[in-house]
């Protein structure tokens, strides 16, 4: 009878793997932070945050959108409707402000990058898992 259990790696080897993983993550984060459009986004975010009233309105809008989504998920249709309308009202108030438009455009670029990197990592992990099976 063959032993089908996978070999357990010694603790020190797992520690080394974890440390290497952490180093690679740090390298990736550093490289991402150095990209021009990530730095542009960070500047746009700082600029938006400096406009206190505008920033607070945007944060309130985000919170209302989250609450609306929650109300929708739990079937509270009236609360969803009221909360979604309040969020839309705030969005209309700030949507065309130049600082918000700049921030939104740069956020979209960064979100695209995050989606791409996440997809690439997921593909590599799935590929490695398939070869281990």
């Amino acid at each position: 009878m063959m032993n089908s259990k996978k070999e357990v790696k010694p603790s020190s080897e797992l520690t080394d793997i974890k440390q290497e993983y952490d180093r690679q993550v740090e390298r990736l984060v550093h490289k991402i932070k150095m990209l021009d459009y990530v730095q542009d986004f960070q500047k746009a975010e700082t600029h938006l945050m400096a406009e206190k009233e505008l920033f607070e309105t945007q944060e309130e809008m985000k919170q209302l959108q989250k609450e609306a989504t929650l109300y929708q998920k739990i079937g509270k249709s009236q609360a969803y409707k009221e909360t979604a309308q309040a969020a839309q009202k705030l969005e209309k108030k700030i949507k065309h402000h130049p600082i918000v438009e700049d921030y939104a455009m740069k956020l979209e670029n960064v979100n695209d990058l995050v989606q791409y990197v996440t997809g690439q990592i997921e593909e590599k992990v799935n590929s490695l898992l398939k070869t281990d099976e």
Side-chain angles (χ1 to χ4, degrees):
M1 197 185 244
M2 292 184 96
N3 188 351
S4 64
K5 290 183 179 178
K6 288 192 174 187
E7 184 180 319
V8 177
K9 296 185 180 197
S11 179
S12 64
E13 190 175 345
L14 288 175
T15 301
D16 292 345
I17 291 170
K18 167 103 173 71
Q19 287 174 345
E20 178 60 21
Y21 169 82
D22 290 343
R23 278 193 295 274
Q24 293 300 327
V25 168
E26 279 184 38
R27 256 182 83 219
L28 177 60
V29 168
H30 177 73
K31 285 183 177 190
I32 289 172
K33 285 181 177 181
M34 298 311 298
L35 294 171
D36 289 342
Y37 57 95
V38 171
Q39 291 181 359
D40 289 345
F41 165 74
Q42 289 174 327
K43 288 176 188 170
E45 183 178 43
T46 300
H47 194 198
L48 175 62
M49 290 172 69
E51 298 291 327
K52 188 175 173 133
E53 184 178 333
L54 194 57
F55 179 73
E56 288 174 356
T57 301
Q58 184 191 29
E59 290 300 304
E60 182 181 354
M61 179 191 71
K62 286 180 188 178
Q63 185 60 39
L64 287 168
Q65 289 169 335
K66 287 178 186 178
E67 289 175 18
T69 301
L70 175 63
Y71 289 140
Q72 186 177 33
K73 286 181 181 179
I74 63 173
K76 301 282 187 180
S77 58
Q78 186 60 32
Y80 164 73
K81 183 179 176 183
E82 291 172 8
T83 308
Q85 286 174 344
Q88 288 173 350
K89 184 178 177 184
L90 290 177
E91 182 180 16
K92 286 179 185 176
K93 180 180 175 182
I94 65 171
K95 184 178 183 178
H96 297 293
H97 192 288
I99 294 173
V100 174
E101 287 179 339
D102 183 53
Y103 172 80
M105 180 184 70
K106 290 173 179 168
L107 175 62
E108 189 174 321
N109 292 337
V110 171
N111 280 340
D112 290 345
L113 172 67
V114 169
Q115 292 298 317
Y116 174 77
V117 170
T118 302
Q120 291 296 306
I121 291 171
E122 186 176 326
E123 280 182 33
K124 299 276 187 204
V125 168
N126 288 337
S127 175
L128 290 170
L129 290 174
K130 285 180 184 176
T131 59
D132 280 353
E133 289 177 350

